[in-house]
Amino acid sequence: MPKKVVPTERAKAILRGENNSRPQSFTAIEQDDSDSDSGVKLKKEIGLVDGVAIIVGIIVGSGIFVSPKGVLTNIGSVGQSLIVWIFSGFLSLIGALCYAELGTMIPKSGGDYAYISDAFGPLPAFLYLWVALFILVPTGNAITALTFAQYILQPVWPGCEPPYEAVRLLAAAVTCFLTAINCYNVKWATRLQDIFTGTKIFALIIIMIAGAWWLGLGHTENLRNPMANTNYQPGYIALAIYSGLFSYSGWNYLNFVTEELKEPYKNLPRAICISMPLITMIYVLANVAYFVVLTRDEILASNAVAVTFGDKLLGGMSWIMPFFVACSTFGALNGAIFASSRLFFVGARNGHLPTAISLINVRNLTPMPSLIFLCIITLALLIIKDVYVLINYVSFVEAVFTTMSVTGLLWLRYKRPDLHRPIKVPLALPVIFFIICAFLVILPCCDSPWEVGVGVIFILSGIPVYGIFIHWPNKPKWLVTASHKFNIICAKLFMCVQEDKTS
């Protein structure tokens, strides 16, 4: 028979308001026919197929349907653009393999947060959590939700921009809907991810088949002289790589949910080794299709290459491209909400966020407070009129902490050589990845000093927060009492208890 979760009498009393004990004392048990007990905890419900779907579903968002313009704008030529797409995929694969070693060596949910914490201690880990909480994760989710809303509403307002209020309301609605799904059932969220991953792959297959058909008719004029107009300036090459890497971003999100992955030592590297080459092949072939059908000038004039491609080649069926882009962003948002909420759950479990965020719903075994907290911050960012302006700050800050994570891998190789490593990549891979990441961090210091300065200030602003709310041993009584009441309210409101660490 399926397992059911039964709170203890003590937990029931607390949830009814009959006890003023702290939420840390909450306990509950799972019961089955054998009467074997284990504590309330996140279930291992993510298999290999689900892991592949999470990686593919998050990576294949709106980027491949939009970013080809950014790569071509900076690099200049069709041939060099394809090289950038291949290189970006190769670099992402190296990074993913490095994270596979980190994820199996430190089999904890939380991704970069867990690795930075183990390698460098609590303060750097908190600073990552700080910027992830208010910039990295909710900004990415807000932009994905807005992209979904734009493409869904575009057919309703053909030839003009959809109203600002309509886009924001639909983006907020889809964010709340997907948060509710993730709160209710992990299996529902992963099945939804599987379905929409299949949908977006199907869309890219249509693009590749249509491009192959067009090429078969003898239309090779756009591929003649593929290296013409190539821009060899290092700065522009770097900018082109940024655009390519943006479309591959999300390859490390499966590391956020390691504790919910079945057989993580096997399935984490397998999911990575299946997903990254598959995505690289699909991306390159999709770009070949774009270049076969569209001229260089048509791509540069388009704000959404896939939609322009559909308008030119699919005729009356051109509406399916905006629909598929919307499906793609819907799946990417679902995967990001699912994975990133575990980051804040782990941070709260380690005492770096309010205890309430580390609570688990006793009925559904989902980190409900963490999901709702993330949803609220994302909704707040949707109010910003030009949320896209945050992308420049996000890119720099993310590069800083990715560099710190891979530095942690190298440091742990030296500091703890005897640590169990089910996967150990050749030393050359993390060294290469570190050099490239360092380059991506240093280069903007010259070209975009304002964005770098704002990013650094926000990172450093987490230090006083850490000192007051975490490191300070003798906190004022009013602060302790307020924190305690907040945790109790959340526990009662969401029917949650704290994870049992003894199971």
Side-chain angles (χ1 to χ4, degrees), residues 261-283:
L261 189 63
K262 298 175 183 176
E263 299 184 279
Y265 292 159
K266 294 181 180 178
N267 287 333
L268 179 61
R270 286 177 181 174
I272 289 170
C273 291
I274 292 171
S275 303
M276 297 311 300
L278 175 65
I279 292 169
T280 303
M281 180 181 68
I282 290 174
Y283 274 15

Side-chain angles (χ1 to χ4, degrees), residues 343-401:
L343 166 63
F344 306 127
F345 170 83
V346 173
R349 188 174 64 185
N350 291 345
H352 285 173
L353 290 175
T355 302
I357 299 176
S358 68
L359 302 180
I360 300 174
N361 181 265
V362 296
R363 293 176 180 171
N364 305 322
L365 299 182
T366 58
M368 189 178 291
S370 178
L371 286 158
I372 293 173
F373 189 66
L374 173 60
C375 179
I376 291 172
I377 298 178
T378 304
L379 294 178
L381 287 179
L382 288 175
I383 299 173
I384 299 175
K385 188 166 186 178
D386 188 11
V387 70
Y388 295 91
V389 76
L390 296 174
I391 289 179
N392 291 333
Y393 305 115
V394 168
S395 299
F396 169 75
V397 172
E398 190 169 23
V400 168
F401 285 103

Side-chain angles (χ1 to χ4, degrees), residues 137-278:
V137 173
T139 296
N141 290 356
I143 290 172
T144 304
L146 289 171
T147 305
F148 167 83
Q150 284 275 13
Y151 279 98
I152 283 290
L153 295 175
Q154 191 62 62
V156 183
W157 282 274
C160 64
E161 285 289 318
Y164 170 86
E165 293 80 5
V167 171
R168 256 57 185 185
L169 284 174
L170 183 55
V174 72
T175 301
C176 292
F177 172 74
L178 288 175
T179 299
I181 292 291
N182 278 271
C183 285
Y184 185 73
N185 195 297
V186 171
K187 285 186 177 179
W188 283 19
T190 54
R191 293 299 170 267
L192 197 67
Q193 192 66 22
D194 296 345
I195 292 169
F196 279 90
T197 296
T199 302
K200 64 184 70 179
I201 295 300
F202 179 68
L204 291 170
I205 289 174
I206 289 177
I207 291 173
M208 289 185 285
I209 292 175
W213 172 76
W214 191 252
L215 184 62
L217 294 178
H219 295 280
T220 61
E221 58 275 9
N222 294 340
L223 298 181
R224 295 169 188 164
N225 301 319
M227 303 304 289
N229 301 312
T230 297
N231 190 340
Y232 292 104
Q233 295 183 38
Y236 286 99
I237 293 174
L239 291 174
I241 294 173
Y242 286 152
S243 294
L245 290 175
F246 172 75
S247 294
Y248 286 96
S249 61
W251 45 262
N252 60 333
Y253 267 50
L254 189 60
N255 293 65
F256 287 173
V257 296
T258 304
E259 293 174 21
E260 295 171 78
L261 189 63
K262 298 175 183 176
E263 299 184 279
Y265 292 159
K266 294 181 180 178
N267 287 333
L268 179 61
R270 286 177 181 174
I272 289 170
C273 291
I274 292 171
S275 303
M276 297 311 300
L278 175 65

Side-chain angles (χ1 to χ4, degrees), residues 192-499:
L192 197 67
Q193 192 66 22
D194 296 345
I195 292 169
F196 279 90
T197 296
T199 302
K200 64 184 70 179
I201 295 300
F202 179 68
L204 291 170
I205 289 174
I206 289 177
I207 291 173
M208 289 185 285
I209 292 175
W213 172 76
W214 191 252
L215 184 62
L217 294 178
H219 295 280
T220 61
E221 58 275 9
N222 294 340
L223 298 181
R224 295 169 188 164
N225 301 319
M227 303 304 289
N229 301 312
T230 297
N231 190 340
Y232 292 104
Q233 295 183 38
Y236 286 99
I237 293 174
L239 291 174
I241 294 173
Y242 286 152
S243 294
L245 290 175
F246 172 75
S247 294
Y248 286 96
S249 61
W251 45 262
N252 60 333
Y253 267 50
L254 189 60
N255 293 65
F256 287 173
V257 296
T258 304
E259 293 174 21
E260 295 171 78
L261 189 63
K262 298 175 183 176
E263 299 184 279
Y265 292 159
K266 294 181 180 178
N267 287 333
L268 179 61
R270 286 177 181 174
I272 289 170
C273 291
I274 292 171
S275 303
M276 297 311 300
L278 175 65
I279 292 169
T280 303
M281 180 181 68
I282 290 174
Y283 274 15
V284 172
L285 292 177
N287 274 277
V288 170
Y290 291 147
F291 293 138
V292 167
V293 174
L294 302 175
T295 66
R296 180 176 178 274
D297 291 338
E298 286 174 328
I299 293 175
L300 294 177
S302 173
N303 289 324
V305 177
V307 176
T308 305
F309 177 93
D311 290 340
K312 183 170 182 178
L313 204 59
L314 301 180
M317 294 294 292
S318 60
W319 60 269
I320 68 173
M321 277 300 126
F323 171 76
F324 278 132
V325 173
C327 288
S328 180
T329 52
F330 185 88
L333 181 59
N334 177 66
I337 289 172
F338 174 82
S340 57
S341 64
R342 273 60 178 174
L343 166 63
F344 306 127
F345 170 83
V346 173
R349 188 174 64 185
N350 291 345
H352 285 173
L353 290 175
T355 302
I357 299 176
S358 68
L359 302 180
I360 300 174
N361 181 265
V362 296
R363 293 176 180 171
N364 305 322
L365 299 182
T366 58
M368 189 178 291
S370 178
L371 286 158
I372 293 173
F373 189 66
L374 173 60
C375 179
I376 291 172
I377 298 178
T378 304
L379 294 178
L381 287 179
L382 288 175
I383 299 173
I384 299 175
K385 188 166 186 178
D386 188 11
V387 70
Y388 295 91
V389 76
L390 296 174
I391 289 179
N392 291 333
Y393 305 115
V394 168
S395 299
F396 169 75
V397 172
E398 190 169 23
V400 168
F401 285 103
T402 300
T403 305
M404 188 176 292
S405 292
V406 74
T407 304
L409 186 153
L410 295 170
W411 172 244
L412 289 173
R413 286 272 188 105
Y414 169 76
K415 182 182 177 183
R416 302 174 66 183
D418 298 328
L419 195 65
H420 178 56
R421 293 174 171 84
I423 297 173
K424 188 173 182 178
V425 298
L427 183 61
L429 294 185
V431 170
I432 292 171
F433 192 67
F434 168 79
I435 292 172
I436 296 174
C437 285
F439 171 75
L440 294 177
V441 169
I442 294 171
L443 185 66
C445 295
C446 301
D447 296 338
S448 307
W450 172 255
E451 287 81 357
V452 170
V454 172
V456 170
I457 289 172
F458 195 87
I459 293 172
L460 297 179
S461 68
I463 295 177
V465 176
Y466 177 85
I468 294 172
F469 291 98
I470 298 170
H471 186 67
W472 191 6
N474 299 314
K475 299 179 180 64
K477 186 176 180 180
W478 66 266
L479 184 60
V480 175
T481 302
S483 175
H484 167 61
K485 289 181 178 179
F486 175 73
N487 295 335
I488 289 290
I489 291 171
C490 288
K492 294 177 180 178
L493 182 63
F494 302 119
M495 292 293 292
C496 291
V497 297
Q498 196 168 28
E499 181 183 37

